[in-house]
Amino acid sequence: MKDLIIAVVGTLVIFALERAGVILATRSPGGRAWIRAHRLFHPNPISYMRMPMGLVTIFLWAGGWQVTAFLWFAFWMITDLTDGDIARSCDLVTESGKWIDPLSDKLLYFPVLIYLSGWQTVIYKGESHTLFPFGWILALVVIDSIGQCSRLFTVKKAANLFGKAKTALITIMIILGGSDVLYDLRFITPPFLALLAICCAVLAFLSFFCKIVPDSWYANTFTLGNFLCGISSIVCVSFGWLHHGFVLVFIGQFFDLFDGRCARKFGSTRYGALFDDIADGTSFGLATAFLLFVALGSTIPGFLVAAAFCVSVIVRLIRFLRLKGALPIGVFSGLPSPAGALLTGAAALLFLDKPLLIYFFAILSSVAMLAPIRYRHFAQKIWPGIPNIVKVGVAVAVIVFVSKGLTGTFLFADQLSIELGGFVLAMAYLIFGRASGRDDERAAGPPARGKGTAAE
């Protein structure tokens, strides 16, 4: 336990010192001038220095200096923030830096991932397992390498949001795995780390995909993800895997959140809005209604309530299209269908032994979606006001929480699972997400996709 405390506290101290130093140096004209005058502190030299440090980390770890290796790796991963801040603040952004920086990240974490997936073992349920699954780590390395090589022939060389999220999640995964080796943390298991590795591989693929496809297809890609989550949820529920079905609907909401943002920023295809409606109806209407029906014991009253909920979602989507342009940008009439699906699906699983409560929340969601009550758009009105550091923390927490939800292992008691988190979030939005007079101010121009939202 002592080693873990030293590693964690040391990492936090390094991070705090790095942030304080960078902020002090880049906010004053004198500090920026000093950085420009000393080439060693330019972004590209920092990236070059980071390249061999993964091999040094392995040497330290294999030599028994695991705490030192932990801190060494953490320090050099933190420098990925340093060079980016210096590049932007000191006007030192270069075209070469757009591919050198992500290359240095890969050369830092590739050796560590391969070593921990091939040679570092842990005991789980009485059997020896590698810390990370070698197959998925190999897939991650291959996809990430192809993505790096694509910078040689694609116009988009800078790291995109998928790439940044992937790097952050890989760092979290390595830190969690290393922490588990330093001290046996029961909530960090090989299945949990395996799912994080899968998430990293998926993010690596999406990062590569967004480099080679036209911008107008970004939104459709997210919409397809939402649609597939809905179909997969129906399949899971049909096999009796209600929890996994709900988790897939929950994941679909994040695809839906980002497809609208991409559509507004990059545009979309001719039938993108129609495809979006079909995906929303599948995930938030049909899949959630099927989950509700099975949770209520496949009874006739359960069928009627589930059918009413599904119809409410469809009517909600049709009404939104009909009211397009009649409401201020970022304001809905009625509870958005993702929030209704989240509330209904979570209640269906939380109150499996209390069907009257399930009926109550299903009917409440249906009525709220059709009621003429104005709600704020989460992505346009609420999310932008959240600090960036909190957004990153929320994103990582959601990925970790969803991963643990799919593996069935939780840090807290089983009852405090993703269903309870979803229920609390949906109820908070139902009560506090209502639009105020300030939200009625109209924004200039219509939505870029025919739908003003990804959260509809």
Side-chain angles (χ1 to χ4, degrees), residues 34-103:
W34 186 90
I35 290 174
R36 294 191 192 99
H38 293 78
R39 186 170 178 77
L40 183 64
F41 295 95
H42 286 202
N44 286 358
I46 294 176
S47 296
Y48 286 130
M49 287 188 288
R50 191 162 56 241
M51 290 181 178
M53 297 308 170
L55 295 174
V56 176
T57 301
I58 294 176
F59 175 79
L60 293 171
W61 189 275
W65 298 10
Q66 294 176 337
V67 175
T68 304
F70 191 104
L71 295 172
W72 184 262
F73 176 81
F75 169 78
W76 286 105
M77 281 306 302
I78 289 172
T79 62
D80 186 38
L81 300 175
T82 308
D83 58 15
D85 286 346
I86 289 176
R88 290 184 291 270
S89 299
C90 301
D91 196 22
L92 293 173
V93 176
T94 62
E95 286 300 314
S96 60
K98 292 179 180 179
W99 63 266
I100 291 174
D101 179 52
L103 175 62

Side-chain angles (χ1 to χ4, degrees), residues 357-380:
L357 284 177
I358 299 178
Y359 283 118
F360 171 76
F361 285 108
I363 295 172
L364 174 64
S365 299
S366 302
V367 172
M369 285 189 288
L370 300 180
I373 301 174
R374 295 189 175 190
Y375 281 88
R376 288 178 290 168
H377 188 301
F378 179 80
Q380 294 183 22

